[in-house]
Amino acid sequence: MHVSAAPIFIDNSSDPRIEAYRDIRERDLKGRGGRFVIEGEVVLRTALQLGRFAIESILIAENRTEPLADLVAKVPAGISVYSASRSVLDDIAGFPMHRGILAMGLRGEGGTAERLLATAPENALFVGLSAIANHDNMGGIFRNAAAFGLDGVLIDGTSCDPLYRKAIRVSAGAVLMTPFAQGGDIGTLCDALLAAGFEVLATSPAGKERLADIEPVGRQAVLFGAEGPGLPEHVLRRLRTIRIDMRGSFDSLNVATTSGIVLHHLAR
Amino acid sequence: MHVSAAPIFIDNSSDPRIEAYRDIRERDLKGRGGRFVIEGEVVLRTALQLGRFAIESILIAENRTEPLADLVAKVPAGISVYSASRSVLDDIAGFPMHRGILAMGLRGEGGTAERLLATAPENALFVGLSAIANHDNMGGIFRNAAAFGLDGVLIDGTSCDPLYRKAIRVSAGAVLMTPFAQGGDIGTLCDALLAAGFEVLATSPAGKERLADIEPVGRQAVLFGAEGPGLPEHVLRRLRTIRIDMRGSFDSLNVATTSGIVLHHLAR
């Protein structure tokens, strides 16, 4: 099962075996054979342990191979492990690679909303996201989702990619933990949740009910929209709307913080 | 009271009247005559309306002077208003100045913990911060403090500067709203809160009491430490410690999100 072979040393940034790592600063890796980038030791250990995403290869800075020997020893067979000097690493990545370890994950087929809903437990708690365009917010929402044990995150097609480097980093690796599916519009996701027997709550600063008055019951899902525009009107009209009471004239909570407050209240 | 004079046009980035704006990308403006930078229309309007900090001057991109004419018209006498071309602005600021409006605020004497505590209402809610080194977290905590109507924020000397540009931006201007004082160590700040009749609660992942079991009563303060190390042991030993229950093995909430959850529960 395990091969504890030493990393393969790469002495040239144009070596085709590490081509997948070229210019990973660029936002969109979606076209690159369904790969995504895992940065840093902590997140990589999480990914290896959970095994939710296949890992294609690992690239370690030469001076980190010894401190990370235990990680390398546990890498399953079939995952290539490379090492390279800092200069080769910086050259291929396109920026100074402080973390010293990268890995290439494979998105795989990805979950679909239908599959996630079909296997959701009886007391499932889900989140639905509409037009979350900011990677900090996406990562922050996933961090809260993992902390409060959510069963699934449904993300509309206009939201940003949760598997983008920055989102994974801000989530402290939680994007690799909590099952999610991305695609479609929020109205369709809402239909799917209702059809699966979920009570669906919509957050809005003008929500009719106070969060404090909502009881965690059965299958529940909470929808969050972008800061500013919020959820679309046609979604708000169909659902129970909830608000977080604030004080004074400063009516402005960050959407990731809002998700933390709501999920803390509704977590089973 | 008001002078609605047109902005003074500056055609050269070495003009001494805008020297204070040079290289504002640099982190530390503390040595610059006690100034701090206000960026963007929304935050500047907040600052002008609240008047908690004196404003020395305003610098507007030439193409924004007309859309911002109503703001300029309301600027109190004594505040110099300059305009300049984009290239002069970018040149002096040291980076592309997308927001099109900057202002120079003056820190003034600043609040002291003693003064804030002396004027605190009977049911005051305060926050105390220890070693918060990240400007995103500092800004996020202030945003929550304003949303839940806090009466004061006491910040130890090892935390970062809440008046740094990025912290103000992330706070959505809340740093200019909620009274704060910075200096000293967290143990001394804790002493001052206790002497002023506050119940002081310390947040910790290993806290003895659940947040849900804490009642908002009288004068209360909550202390937050840096993610990872948390609050110092000598502080935790003296106080009621509170935790937020999480689920599963992912025991990791962001400190700004934590402050949102705690303040939502304790807000009056």
Side-chain angles (χ1 to χ4, degrees):
Chain A
M1 169 86 193
H2 285 164
V3 285
S4 324
I8 298 159
F9 187 71
I10 305 280
D11 60 5
N12 188 323
S13 66
S14 56
D15 191 310
R17 290 173 291 183
I18 59 169
E19 183 57 29
Y21 294 86
R22 184 168 305 285
D23 295 330
I24 57 168
R25 192 166 206 167
E26 301 299 319
R27 290 213 159 192
D28 193 5
L29 290 168
K30 279 193 175 169
R32 300 190 180 194
R35 296 185 176 90
F36 68 96
V37 179
I38 296 169
E39 279 180 312
E41 178 186 346
V42 174
V43 177
L44 178 55
R45 285 186 193 273
T46 301
L48 286 167
Q49 197 195 322
L50 295 175
R52 291 197 49 239
F53 293 91
I55 290 169
E56 185 181 52
S57 68
I58 297 172
L59 178 57
I60 311 180
E62 201 180 359
N63 63 343
R64 295 293 309 282
T65 52
E66 203 169 298
L68 293 173
D70 76 299
L71 187 154
V72 172
K74 278 182 238 148
V75 169
I79 301 178
S80 310
V81 182
Y82 303 111
S83 77
S85 67
R86 283 277 167 185
S87 65
V88 166
L89 270 176
D90 293 357
D91 192 35
I92 187 139
F95 65 104
M97 244 278 305
H98 300 299
R99 296 191 170 232
I101 185 161
L102 291 170
M104 212 45 79
L106 297 173
R107 293 164 185 271
E109 292 177 26
T112 62
E114 290 65 34
R115 211 173 307 153
L116 280 188
L117 291 169
T119 57
E122 268 320 298
N123 67 341
L125 182 58
F126 269 55
V127 150
L129 304 179
S130 164
I132 303 296
N134 177 297
H135 289 106
D136 285 291
N137 287 336
M138 182 62 79
I141 290 168
F142 266 92
R143 190 167 171 180
N144 297 333
F148 294 115
L150 255 69
D151 301 290
V153 179
L154 304 184
I155 308 167
D156 78 342
T158 71
S159 293
C160 66
D161 176 12
L163 288 173
Y164 176 64
R165 288 193 303 128
K166 193 180 185 191
I168 297 178
R169 188 171 64 231
V170 171
S171 81
V175 172
L176 308 181
M177 295 179 198
T178 303
F180 69 88
Q182 182 163 25
D185 68 74
I186 191 71
T188 313
L189 296 176
C190 181
D191 291 339
L193 285 161
L194 292 168
F198 278 73
E199 174 181 58
V200 184
L201 306 164
T203 53
S204 164
K208 289 208 185 73
E209 299 179 71
R210 291 180 348 139
L211 171 65
D213 297 331
I214 305 290
E215 305 247 330
V217 282
R219 288 181 159 185
Q220 240 168 356
V222 195
L223 308 187
F224 297 92
E227 283 180 51
L231 289 164
E233 196 53 42
H234 68 89
V235 170
L236 291 173
R237 263 201 310 270
R238 308 162 55 184
L239 301 173
R240 288 179 77 178
T241 57
I242 59 174
R243 68 177 190 276
I244 293 171
D245 276 334
M246 285 171 265
R247 220 173 69 161
S249 55
F250 192 67
D251 185 23
S252 162
L253 278 174
N254 167 272
V255 65
T257 300
T258 302
S259 76
I261 294 170
V262 172
L263 298 180
H264 174 251
H265 182 75
L266 292 178
R268 279 75 176 117
Chain B
M1 170 80 192
H2 286 169
V3 284
S4 324
I8 299 159
F9 188 70
I10 306 281
D11 60 5
N12 188 322
S13 65
S14 55
D15 191 309
R17 290 173 292 183
I18 59 168
E19 182 57 28
Y21 293 87
R22 183 168 304 284
D23 294 330
I24 56 165
R25 192 166 205 168
E26 300 298 320
R27 291 213 157 191
D28 192 7
L29 289 168
K30 279 193 171 168
R32 302 188 180 196
R35 295 182 177 91
F36 68 96
V37 179
I38 295 169
E39 279 180 311
E41 177 185 348
V42 175
V43 177
L44 179 56
R45 286 188 193 272
T46 301
L48 286 166
Q49 195 195 322
L50 295 174
R52 291 195 51 236
F53 293 91
I55 289 168
E56 186 182 53
S57 69
I58 296 171
L59 177 58
I60 310 181
E62 201 179 0
N63 63 342
R64 296 293 309 282
T65 53
E66 204 168 297
L68 293 172
D70 75 299
L71 186 155
V72 172
K74 280 182 238 149
V75 169
I79 301 179
S80 309
V81 182
Y82 304 110
S83 77
S85 67
R86 282 277 168 184
S87 65
V88 167
L89 269 177
D90 293 354
D91 191 38
I92 187 140
F95 65 105
M97 244 278 303
H98 302 297
R99 295 189 171 233
I101 184 160
L102 291 170
M104 213 42 81
L106 297 174
R107 291 165 185 271
E109 292 177 27
T112 63
E114 290 66 34
R115 211 174 306 154
L116 280 188
L117 291 170
T119 57
E122 268 320 298
N123 67 342
L125 181 58
F126 270 54
V127 150
L129 303 180
S130 164
I132 304 296
N134 177 297
H135 289 106
D136 285 289
N137 287 337
M138 181 63 79
I141 292 168
F142 265 92
R143 189 166 171 182
N144 296 334
F148 293 115
L150 256 69
D151 301 288
V153 179
L154 305 184
I155 308 167
D156 78 343
T158 70
S159 292
C160 65
D161 176 14
L163 288 172
Y164 175 64
R165 288 193 305 129
K166 192 180 185 190
I168 297 177
R169 188 171 66 231
V170 171
S171 82
V175 172
L176 308 180
M177 295 178 195
T178 303
F180 70 88
Q182 183 164 23
D185 67 75
I186 191 69
T188 314
L189 296 176
C190 181
D191 291 339
L193 285 161
L194 292 168
F198 278 73
E199 174 181 55
V200 184
L201 305 165
T203 53
S204 162
K208 288 208 185 73
E209 298 178 72
R210 289 176 356 133
L211 172 65
D213 298 330
I214 305 289
E215 305 248 329
V217 283
R219 288 181 159 183
Q220 240 167 358
V222 195
L223 308 188
F224 298 92
E227 281 179 53
L231 290 164
E233 196 51 44
H234 68 89
V235 170
L236 292 173
R237 262 201 310 272
R238 306 162 56 183
L239 301 173
R240 286 179 80 177
T241 56
I242 59 174
R243 69 176 188 276
I244 293 173
D245 276 333
M246 285 170 264
R247 220 174 70 160
S249 57
F250 194 65
D251 184 24
S252 162
L253 280 172
N254 167 272
V255 64
T257 300
T258 303
S259 77
I261 294 170
V262 171
L263 298 179
H264 173 251
H265 182 75
L266 292 177
R268 280 77 176 111

